[in-house]
Amino acid sequence: MPNISLASLGCSKNTVDSEVMLGQLTRAGYNVVADHGDADVIIVNTCAFIRPAKEESIETILDLARFKEDGRCDSLVVTGCMAQRYAHGLVAEMPEVDAVIGVHQYPRIVQLLDRLRDRRETLREIRRQPLPTDYSYPRVITTPRHSVYLKIAEGCDRRCTFCIIPAIRGSQRSRTVDSLVEEARTLAGQGAVELNLISQDTTWYGKDLEQPARLEDLLAALNGVEGVRWIRALYNHPVRFTDTLIHAFADLERVCDYIDMPLQHISDPMLDRMNRETDSKATRALLKRIRDRMPEATLRTTFIVGFPGETEEDFDQLYDFVEETRFDRMGVFMYSQEEQTPAARYDEQIPESVKQERHDRLMALQREISLERNRSFVGRTVDVLIDERADEGHYTGRTAADAPEVDNEVLVTGEGLAPGDGLAPGDFASVEITDAMEYDLVGVVSTGAREPGGTKPQRGPGRQTFPAQFGTLA
């Protein structure tokens, strides 16, 4: 059977799609290899959310196309959001590409690659074929085995004026609670102690099912999965973040007190133009209810600066809101004018220099806030999930306040461990924090141990290429 290599770009949702494709292919007998030079077929799973992501996707495709001349590669396959969005352009302008496969086709990746052997022209498959709500596909886990993503829904029903995702991925289609619990149990059986729930709009989970469910129902069901210690829900839209959901986050012992809520702005004119379905008053009231019920909760958000029509007054409101609210974690994006979105046609587009200046000012403020937050942990002892062994006696890990890839790390020294009693990825260590930086903590192991799941954890503050030795999910 042919050798396959895969480069995955973009978000964690794309990562899961890549894992499903690799799972299908390995089950069919394809060999997954780490070196593109050893691959007969190279797959690029692309992102097309904003301009920098599209540029990275194009650069990666062209970079990997050279293996068709220099290596053994026979076929270059482009999948993902760029394939779905720009299929005709890719076929017309990139003769190096042998197949363009959209986001709804990855469960059929084996059949499609088999067709490549007999092709006489570029294969193009971008038809919408909604997945069943109770699906469970084999996956090749490409993240560290102890911390995995669980995609709970596909697509999005929101119509934010800056976002192209609904046009690419379609309307929301949630998976059933039973199928997700079944997959979570399999992942836990393979060593997963942290589940990171992802979708485009996590708080809207389950509303589209034949038998409707709520995110709090799913969290309660996953809370009973043996072996899982931390459950983290990412991408929570503020609309329909109900009081019952707040109580679920607070009360369920394995659900992290970590609220990831992309707010995008706080100025009412901006929220209205973005079609965010909420306003400043409702947002502030929601954050107050969360902090009243969960005073130690970690709040993470993202904002967009330079949206069309954003005045200095609008930005000043946002700046003051960040200074007042003091988010534990925050990201800032400069608005990207994406064709086929309503906002792309708005007047009063903001110059790039102004976007950059506002981005830099807001991030400078957040660095000060983050350092202040981190310094409050010095002298405290927190639970840390070990992600990686850097070298003998030194590790990197995260507190329950930190999602993988996007948040802070804890740099851990194992001075408190007995000789020969080192830590491994997936272990939980009790760590005394000794120093703080803007985005990282430093600490020493006071007692190192792998702790069983089932206890509420103590609270603290681009491009992937996949080798063959990862395990598969049956």
Side-chain angles (χ1 to χ4, degrees):
M1 292 293 286
N3 289 344
I4 298 282
S5 69
L6 190 149
S8 188
L9 310 175
C11 67
S12 55
K13 295 175 283 291
N14 244 25
T15 297
V16 173
D17 291 350
S18 295
E19 292 176 342
V20 169
M21 284 190 283
L22 291 174
Q24 300 276 348
L25 291 165
T26 54
R27 175 171 284 187
Y30 283 79
N31 304 306
V32 180
V33 297
D35 190 338
H36 296 302
D38 295 331
D40 302 292
V41 179
I42 298 174
I43 300 174
V44 186
N45 192 8
T46 59
C47 179
F49 182 50
I50 56 178
R51 184 176 64 249
K54 291 184 288 186
E55 292 172 351
E56 182 187 21
S57 294
I58 292 171
E59 290 172 2
T60 302
I61 293 168
L62 294 175
D63 180 46
L64 296 179
R66 63 186 174 85
F67 288 101
K68 292 183 66 176
E69 300 177 1
D70 303 339
R72 59 185 282 177
C73 178
D74 176 64
S75 300
L76 179 62
V77 178
V78 177
T79 66
C81 289
M82 176 168 277
Q84 186 75 29
R85 188 177 180 186
Y86 298 112
H88 298 285
L90 286 169
V91 171
E93 299 178 22
M94 302 188 78
E96 303 92 343
V97 174
D98 300 289
V100 178
I101 298 173
V103 297
H104 304 275
Q105 306 301 315
Y106 63 78
R108 299 178 56 242
I109 189 67
V110 174
Q111 299 95 305
L112 294 173
L113 291 196
D114 287 346
R115 282 173 53 188
L116 273 179
R117 299 176 182 177
D118 302 320
R119 76 188 188 287
R120 295 183 180 177
E121 58 184 18
T122 301
L123 174 66
R124 185 174 64 209
E125 285 282 343
I126 58 170
R127 295 172 295 170
R128 294 193 186 280
Q129 294 179 321
L131 300 174
T133 58
D134 59 350
Y135 72 84
S136 181
Y137 295 113
R139 285 169 61 186
V140 171
I141 301 303
T142 59
T143 61
R145 190 181 299 271
H146 63 275
S147 177
V148 298
Y149 293 106
L150 186 63
K151 187 193 278 193
I152 66 174
E154 181 62 84
C156 187
D157 288 342
R158 306 285 177 194
R159 293 299 181 264
C160 301
T161 58
F162 54 81
C163 185
I164 194 64
I165 293 300
I168 296 174
R169 296 268 177 177
S171 299
Q172 176 153 315
R173 300 176 305 285
S174 303
R175 292 178 58 184
T176 61
V177 172
D178 288 346
S179 75
L180 290 164
V181 169
E182 178 185 358
E183 182 170 358
R185 286 174 176 155
T186 302
L187 292 165
Q190 294 182 334
V193 295
E194 179 182 44
L195 298 178
N196 299 288
L197 312 189
I198 55 173
S199 69
Q200 297 296 335
D201 181 3
T202 304
T203 45
W204 193 233
Y205 166 78
K207 301 295 193 296
D208 57 298
L209 291 170
E210 185 175 341
Q211 296 182 337
R214 304 171 301 170
L215 178 58
E216 47 265 50
D217 300 325
L218 176 60
L219 292 174
L222 293 174
N223 191 66
V225 175
E226 199 63 37
V228 173
R229 171 73 177 268
W230 288 354
I231 300 169
R232 193 185 306 278
L234 305 176
Y235 310 112
N236 298 283
H237 194 288
V239 173
R240 300 183 183 88
F241 201 101
T242 63
D243 289 346
T244 57
L245 183 56
I246 294 172
H247 290 304
F249 273 88
D251 296 337
L252 293 170
E253 59 183 358
R254 300 181 186 183
V255 176
C256 295
D257 293 349
Y258 177 97
I259 311 296
D260 174 39
M261 185 181 294
L263 297 176
Q264 310 304 10
H265 219 285
I266 197 60
S267 162
D268 283 338
M270 290 296 96
L271 291 171
D272 183 59
R273 291 196 110 195
M274 291 178 177
N275 194 31
R276 291 293 289 170
E277 305 177 48
T278 189
D279 58 24
S280 175
K281 182 179 179 180
T283 298
R284 293 173 188 274
L286 173 58
L287 294 177
K288 183 178 186 304
R289 293 199 304 275
I290 291 172
R291 281 193 160 156
D292 284 348
R293 181 64 179 83
M294 305 168 63
E296 296 297 317
T298 298
L299 294 182
R300 187 183 205 284
T301 193
T302 55
F303 293 112
I304 297 173
V305 295
F307 190 79
E310 184 187 55
T311 65
E312 278 296 328
E313 181 181 355
D314 293 322
F315 177 75
D316 287 344
Q317 287 185 38
L318 177 58
Y319 187 96
D320 292 344
F321 175 64
V322 170
E323 189 171 36
E324 163 199 326
T325 308
R326 311 195 79 74
F327 292 96
D328 302 275
R329 310 285 182 261
M330 189 186 83
V332 180
F333 293 93
M334 294 188 295
Y335 168 72
S336 177
Q337 187 177 7
E338 293 302 311
E339 68 269 26
Q340 302 173 348
T341 63
R345 300 187 295 272
Y346 286 173
D347 55 9
E348 300 179 86
Q349 297 287 331
I350 305 297
E352 291 299 315
S353 60
V354 175
K355 295 179 191 178
Q356 187 70 58
E357 188 269 340
R358 291 175 180 174
H359 170 277
D360 294 347
R361 281 169 59 193
L362 201 56
M363 284 306 300
L365 172 61
Q366 183 58 28
R367 283 195 296 272
E368 295 176 4
I369 294 170
S370 180
L371 181 59
E372 173 192 287
R373 292 285 195 191
N374 282 350
R375 282 175 173 167
S376 72
F377 285 88
V378 175
R380 294 173 55 180
T381 299
V382 297
D383 288 345
V384 172
L385 173 58
I386 301 300
D387 283 327
E388 185 179 12
R389 177 178 173 178
D391 54 45
E392 185 66 37
H394 293 86
Y395 311 88
T396 58
R398 290 172 290 112
T399 71
D402 300 297
E405 301 183 283
V406 296
D407 287 333
N408 296 0
E409 289 185 331
V410 184
L411 311 178
V412 179
T413 301
E415 294 177 4
L417 296 173
D421 186 21
L423 297 171
D427 284 350
F428 287 90
S430 184
V431 176
E432 180 183 355
I433 303 303
T434 59
D435 198 4
M437 296 173 280
E438 288 179 347
Y439 294 119
D440 292 316
L441 298 172
V442 178
V444 178
V445 175
S446 55
T447 57
R450 173 180 292 277
E451 301 177 12
T455 58
K456 192 78 168 180
Q458 183 176 350
R459 298 295 172 244
R463 169 170 161 182
Q464 299 170 281
T465 300
F466 303 132
Q469 61 265 27
F470 288 103
T472 57
L473 171 61

